[in-house]
Amino acid sequence: MLPPFSCSTALGFKAFLCISIYIYTDGLTGSMGWGDLGVFGEPSKETPNLDQMASEGMLFLDFYTANPLCSPSRAALLTGRLPVRNGFYTTNAHARNAYTPQDIVGGIPDSELLLPELLKKAGYISKIIGKWHLGHRPQFHPLNHGFDEWFGSPNCHFGPFDNRALPNIPLYRDWEMIGRYYEDFKIDLKTGEANLTQIYLQEALDFISKQQASQQPFFLYWAIDATHAPVYASKQFLGSSQRGLYGDAVREIDDSIGKILKHLQKLGISENTFVFFTSDNGAALISAPEQGGSNGRFLCGKQTTFEGGMREPAIAWWPGHIPAGGVSHQLGNVMDLFTTSLSLAGLQPPSDRQIDGINLLPAILQGKLIDRPIFYYRGNEMMAVRVGLYKAHYWTWSNSWEEYSKGIDFCPGQNVSGVTTHTQEEHTTLPLVFHLGRDPGEKYPLSFASNEYQRAMEQISVIVQQHKVTMVPGEPQLNVCDKAVMNWSPPGCEKLGKCLKPPKSDPKKCFWPH
């Protein structure tokens, strides 16, 4: 007898099933943006499966990530906690984005309780397919943090490397590596061809079939990364999009999601499956248009706490439960998927720690609107907060003049004087306030002297004060880097003859320019 729900997830897509499925789109330099889906207005209309998913389920227009960069947002998704609480931030410099490159020493702390660990209490089997990105050292392995199966990589698919200065990134099946990117799992940087999305799709279909056959509730976290630079797509999708290689990758992801949903229907378990699709951060405009996506009308992109960096495409799908064609203005966050998943499984969130995610089921199933703020963090700093339709910026920063002068532009063609600043500007005395209903592009701050500004700040100030009083930051995990901890000799390398000799340990403070 299946419990009422289950989950699985993927690229910019999250989902739950009696079995649960989350689909998470990825990118350090190429995440899927709010404007990449036809249902959100992308003019080429090349996402028919996601558009159909939205027509059969519920579209969230005001859904956010917990951080404008990949690793912290994933840590938030799986813990239900802001990165500044779960340790996925840095104190090496003020308000800097940090993640988990190969030389990072830290990772997800043992003290954090991840969603798959908790779902075990309800009998769930959990699998992650794709990028983990919460630490690559043995103690941070996903099977040490609740997952039962893993097929994918611990880091981004950067490379190829020479295996002397830097090792190529490994791919794992469960506890052991089965090869390395560019050596055993090819990515052609000239053409963009790679078969990884097809491999990840088959892994998802096989896992779902296996669990259905054994009447086993499951959680699938499908965290593919084809839209992360270097962008890739399989041969059958190359050249198929009007949008170039990035569009090819989006089309393949869309096709894969369609196949997953049809598979659930074929197995007769779609009405017992909650599926959620979203992204880990906004599109990386620095690599657009060939290797980056679109954030629609929103300001800037990945790495920033403007709307383009943190507002995400989001779709909930659960036939027979979610009314078809629903559109929600509920303020949502990836952290809510943690609490919502537990509720679907009949579990309560941990009571011994602050959980930032809320249960979205009243919004999804009953159309209710839950009053809650959205906090925009960049590293160790709360940059902004949204309350209702008002967003107050306490700090503004795109990136430094030094980085900008090198051609690194997170807001190409979108300079807004006094807003997209290249120095860190503090506004804590008089925050910049925007009405996101009238001004979703954050171009026209309210006048400080206006009654509207005063009324908005009266409400916002109380919420920010309460938040800061209760904030207890976790031990920062992204401060120390050491080339000796790279993927030189992952578990299983002996069997493959792929062990490499690490350099002498030389731990240093990581440098985070953004």
Side-chain angles (χ1 to χ4, degrees):
M1 193 62 191
L2 286 173
F5 325 98
S6 164
C7 316
S8 235
T9 225
L11 171 76
F13 162 102
K14 309 207 175 27
F16 289 105
L17 307 170
C18 328
I19 308 154
S20 303
I21 302 175
Y22 281 151
I23 300 173
Y24 213 47
T25 49
D26 178 21
L28 177 78
T29 57
S31 295
M32 190 176 281
W34 195 93
D36 280 328
L37 277 59
V39 71
F40 282 107
E42 206 291 315
S44 62
K45 303 295 183 185
E46 294 180 343
T47 55
N49 293 287
L50 282 165
D51 296 349
Q52 182 176 344
M53 181 185 177
S55 72
E56 296 173 356
M58 177 171 282
L59 191 67
F60 282 85
L61 301 180
D62 299 85
F63 197 86
Y64 292 85
T65 184
N67 191 270
L69 200 59
C70 35
S71 295
S73 78
R74 292 159 190 272
L77 164 70
L78 292 174
T79 64
R81 286 153 56 81
L82 285 164
V84 73
R85 296 194 206 273
N86 63 38
F88 262 67
Y89 71 105
T90 182
T91 55
N92 286 357
H94 177 251
R96 298 301 171 99
N97 290 318
Y99 68 110
T100 54
Q102 277 205 76
D103 58 348
I104 198 73
V105 171
I108 193 70
D110 286 340
S111 58
E112 291 297 319
L113 291 172
L114 274 60
L115 179 58
E117 294 179 75
L118 297 170
L119 288 175
K120 284 185 183 297
K121 298 176 182 178
Y124 279 69
I125 295 293
S126 299
K127 181 166 185 169
I128 172 175
I129 298 173
K131 191 173 77 171
W132 167 238
H133 228 205
L134 299 187
H136 59 276
R137 301 172 70 199
Q139 63 268 41
F140 306 127
H141 191 291
L143 270 61
N144 280 324
H145 291 274
F147 283 101
D148 301 288
E149 300 181 25
W150 180 28
F151 183 88
S153 63
N155 308 94
C156 300
H157 56 277
F158 294 137
F161 304 121
D162 61 9
N163 284 334
R164 293 186 296 273
L166 296 171
N168 280 315
I169 304 297
L171 276 85
Y172 281 73
R173 181 173 294 284
D174 300 333
W175 289 106
E176 297 185 343
M177 71 172 284
I178 56 173
R180 293 182 187 269
Y181 282 131
Y182 301 96
E183 299 171 21
D184 311 283
F185 295 87
K186 304 295 185 181
I187 302 174
D188 188 325
L189 296 183
K190 291 184 179 179
T191 66
E193 182 179 348
N195 204 41
L196 287 162
T197 300
Q198 294 302 308
I199 295 172
Y200 291 151
L201 169 61
Q202 194 59 52
E203 284 287 324
L205 299 178
D206 290 348
F207 176 73
I208 292 170
S209 294
K210 179 181 176 182
Q211 306 314 317
Q212 188 273 338
S214 61
Q215 294 287 287
Q216 174 66 54
F218 66 84
F219 169 60
L220 171 61
Y221 176 36
W222 201 55
I224 57 178
D225 63 352
T227 51
H228 186 306
V231 172
Y232 61 80
S234 63
K235 187 173 183 178
Q236 69 194 86
F237 286 93
L238 286 178
S240 67
S241 170
Q242 297 181 38
R243 305 177 65 197
L245 179 57
Y246 180 86
D248 296 341
V250 171
R251 289 199 67 188
E252 184 169 15
I253 289 163
D254 176 79
D255 182 77
S256 298
I257 291 168
K259 286 182 168 67
I260 290 173
L261 299 185
K262 287 181 176 67
H263 193 58
L264 296 172
Q265 293 168 330
K266 180 181 177 181
L267 294 176
I269 58 174
S270 60
E271 293 192 3
N272 289 334
T273 304
F274 176 79
V275 181
F276 200 92
F277 168 90
T278 191
S279 183
D280 60 349
N281 42 247
L285 302 184
I286 185 177
S287 51
E290 185 67 14
Q291 300 250 335
S294 167
N295 296 314
R297 294 183 62 189
F298 301 125
L299 184 63
C300 300
K302 182 174 183 173
Q303 300 265 11
T304 77
T305 50
F306 301 110
E307 290 297 286
M310 293 187 63
R311 202 188 295 203
E312 310 304 329
I315 304 169
W317 185 85
W318 189 11
H321 300 272
I322 298 175
V327 176
S328 177
H329 289 279
Q330 172 64 49
L331 298 189
N333 194 291
V334 295
M335 298 180 291
D336 301 340
L337 296 172
F338 173 89
T339 309
T340 304
S341 302
L342 293 177
S343 179
L344 286 168
L347 300 172
Q348 294 294 321
S351 59
D352 64 342
R353 63 199 63 206
Q354 178 70 43
I355 301 296
D356 296 294
I358 67 171
N359 181 7
L360 289 176
L361 288 182
I364 294 172
L365 301 180
Q366 301 162 28
K368 293 184 177 179
L369 288 179
I370 305 163
D371 189 24
R372 63 89 64 88
I374 295 291
F375 296 102
Y376 303 68
Y377 270 84
R378 184 165 175 169
N380 59 348
E381 185 61 71
M382 189 204 80
M383 304 288 285
V385 61
R386 177 176 174 180
V387 176
L389 287 169
Y390 293 100
K391 179 178 179 182
H393 288 269
Y394 284 71
W395 288 84
T396 54
W397 191 42
S398 57
N399 65 339
S400 69
W401 282 112
E402 180 182 3
E403 294 295 306
Y404 182 70
S405 67
K406 298 176 184 176
I408 299 173
D409 187 358
F410 298 147
C411 312
Q414 291 185 298
N415 178 60
V416 179
S417 180
V419 179
T420 56
T421 56
H422 291 291
T423 55
Q424 293 187 5
E425 297 294 334
E426 185 174 6
H427 309 282
T428 52
T429 303
L430 281 175
L432 299 181
V433 178
F434 298 88
H435 186 285
L436 294 179
R438 300 192 300 263
D439 179 23
E442 298 171 281
K443 296 179 180 179
Y444 310 105
L446 301 183
S447 167
F448 297 138
S450 68
N451 290 333
E452 184 181 10
Y453 179 92
Q454 300 300 326
R455 289 194 303 270
M457 282 309 303
E458 284 175 8
Q459 185 180 9
I460 292 171
S461 296
V462 173
I463 290 170
V464 168
Q465 184 179 11
Q466 291 173 344
H467 175 71
K468 292 195 171 185
V469 166
T470 60
M471 173 54 67
V472 179
E475 185 70 24
Q477 296 295 307
L478 308 180
N479 280 352
V480 181
C481 289
D482 187 347
K483 287 189 176 182
V485 306
M486 289 182 168
N487 293 289
W488 301 104
S489 298
C493 67
E494 301 90 349
K495 298 178 183 178
L496 304 175
K498 288 185 174 290
C499 298
L500 303 169
K501 184 178 179 180
K504 183 179 178 181
S505 179
D506 183 22
K508 298 178 179 178
K509 289 179 68 174
C510 304
F511 174 64
W512 305 114
H514 311 304

